[in-house]
Amino acid sequence: MFSDTFLGTVRPDGSRSPTVADGGTTPFLHNSFVLWTAHGPHTATARDQTGQPAPPMADPDRASWYWARAGLPDGHGVSVVYARYTRTGSGPLDIAWQGNALAAFRANAYSGPASITPLPSSARIAWGAWLEPAGKYTYIYGTERTREGRSHLRLARVSGRDLRRSWQYWTTRGVWSGRERDAARLAGPDGALLTSDELSVVRHGSWYALVTQRADVPFSAETQIAWSRSPGGPFTRPRTVYTAPEAGPAGTYRNPDVIAYNPHEHPELEHGPRDIVLSYNVNSLAPADVIHRADIYRPRFLRLTLAPR
């Protein structure tokens, strides 16, 4: 599952044509899929009325769009949580979250959802930062972004794997509540835990690994891991496990606008409880950079091995 997606051809010099909206030939979508089959990977999108590529989760209106959060197999295909956003200004970061939705895609039919279900959104929590099936529940992690631009982590759960069922929320009292407004900020060793907006919480043996971007430094290039004995914490103090070499004025591109962000764990690519496969995004705060150098705006992957305890 991808969010912002450039399609089309990269030129021999490593650049791409501007987007269609800017008068070029490069289609640009806010979400897409890449499917792996016996014949290799291919991109799955929808088509608009003129036959041009369109996002599988269609824009709700001309001013808004959907970005993918997390997804999981549901027995018929895949269910994906999407966050709806809108623009608040002309800058690359002038955006605002608007709400959450669940889209169910049938197997081999990824050009559009079979159904769309509104998800809890009244507490202004962007749910679906991560989905972790464990036992008889699916745990749903959400991020609450403060006015200062920091994110706090919250937790919900449903019975089974169907996110359309009734949600319960982890509270400050250490019990589950049926009211979204009762969802508590998950804790670290010094109070509420600061995280990035996108993250992962994956079980490794008897521990849960929270993979996040360092959150106390704006545009940090550091990927961190914190640990907990339970899905709801408390988590240990996050420790840096990797620093993206691409970011910042001293990075690979010698460009102060290049940033690294949104780390994720990929348990489907791991070979055991001591193996951790991570990805992160690289982008630029100057949109023209990723037109002139297409190689900037790609995910990077790395593999870590946990030391035996």
Side-chain angles (χ1 to χ4, degrees):
M1 300 174 300
F2 286 85
S3 290
D4 285 349
T5 305
F6 287 108
L7 302 175
T9 302
V10 176
R11 296 163 173 161
D13 66 357
S15 68
R16 56 166 57 95
S17 172
T19 64
V20 173
D22 291 328
T25 61
T26 298
F28 176 77
L29 313 180
H30 285 301
N31 57 79
S32 67
F33 291 96
V34 172
L35 305 180
W36 285 82
T37 69
H39 304 290
H42 68 277
T43 304
T45 69
R47 294 283 174 176
D48 64 18
Q49 294 179 344
T50 66
Q52 296 303 306
M57 185 64 166
D59 297 345
D61 52 58
R62 297 188 65 178
S64 306
W65 66 90
Y66 285 108
W67 278 336
R69 299 286 274 171
L72 78 171
D74 60 11
H76 305 285
V78 63
S79 291
V80 183
V81 179
Y82 287 90
R84 180 166 55 89
Y85 280 84
T86 191
R87 284 220 160 270
T88 60
S90 59
L93 301 179
D94 293 337
I95 58 174
W97 171 90
Q98 297 289 295
N100 307 304
L102 178 71
F105 294 85
R106 295 293 176 254
N108 302 316
Y110 293 96
S111 61
S115 65
I116 299 175
T117 305
L119 291 179
S121 302
S122 62
R124 303 201 59 77
I125 299 168
W127 293 107
W130 188 254
L131 303 173
E132 180 66 6
K136 62 180 181 179
Y137 295 103
T138 298
Y139 293 96
I140 308 153
Y141 291 86
T143 50
E144 166 219 359
R145 196 163 181 83
T146 67
R147 292 181 179 178
E148 296 76 27
R150 296 183 173 185
S151 291
H152 294 282
L153 191 59
R154 301 186 186 239
L155 178 64
R157 73 178 185 183
V158 296
S159 178
R161 303 294 180 257
D162 188 347
L163 300 189
R164 296 171 299 179
R165 293 179 175 175
S166 297
W167 287 30
Q168 296 178 312
Y169 306 89
W170 187 244
T171 71
T172 56
R173 304 187 308 277
V175 298
W176 296 96
S177 167
R179 299 179 301 184
E180 187 188 15
R181 65 177 180 270
D182 292 337
R185 293 174 175 177
L186 300 191
D190 304 314
L193 188 69
L194 291 176
T195 68
S196 47
D197 184 60
E198 294 195 21
L199 45 82
S200 301
V201 184
V202 176
R203 185 172 181 176
H204 289 264
S206 59
W207 290 87
Y208 287 83
L210 164 64
V211 173
T212 179
Q213 183 180 9
R214 182 176 177 180
D216 62 339
V217 177
F219 300 117
S220 171
E222 298 177 41
T223 294
Q224 298 188 322
I225 296 181
W227 297 90
S228 174
R229 287 287 193 179
S230 71
F235 288 88
T236 63
R237 182 171 287 102
R239 293 179 58 187
T240 298
V241 297
Y242 187 77
T243 300
E246 300 86 358
T252 304
Y253 298 98
R254 299 295 190 266
N255 186 337
D257 289 320
V258 171
I259 58 172
Y261 62 109
N262 287 352
H264 285 288
E265 183 174 351
H266 295 268
E268 71 278 5
L269 302 178
E270 296 170 353
H271 302 311
R274 291 178 53 196
D275 193 33
I276 294 184
V277 176
L278 304 179
S279 70
Y280 60 94
N281 294 343
V282 177
N283 201 348
S284 176
L285 297 174
D289 287 343
V290 299
I291 298 296
H292 298 314
R293 293 201 62 171
D295 65 320
I296 292 177
Y297 194 38
R298 292 175 178 170
R300 272 69 168 179
F301 289 79
L302 61 141
R303 186 183 300 273
L304 306 178
T305 301
L306 298 175
R309 298 183 62 84

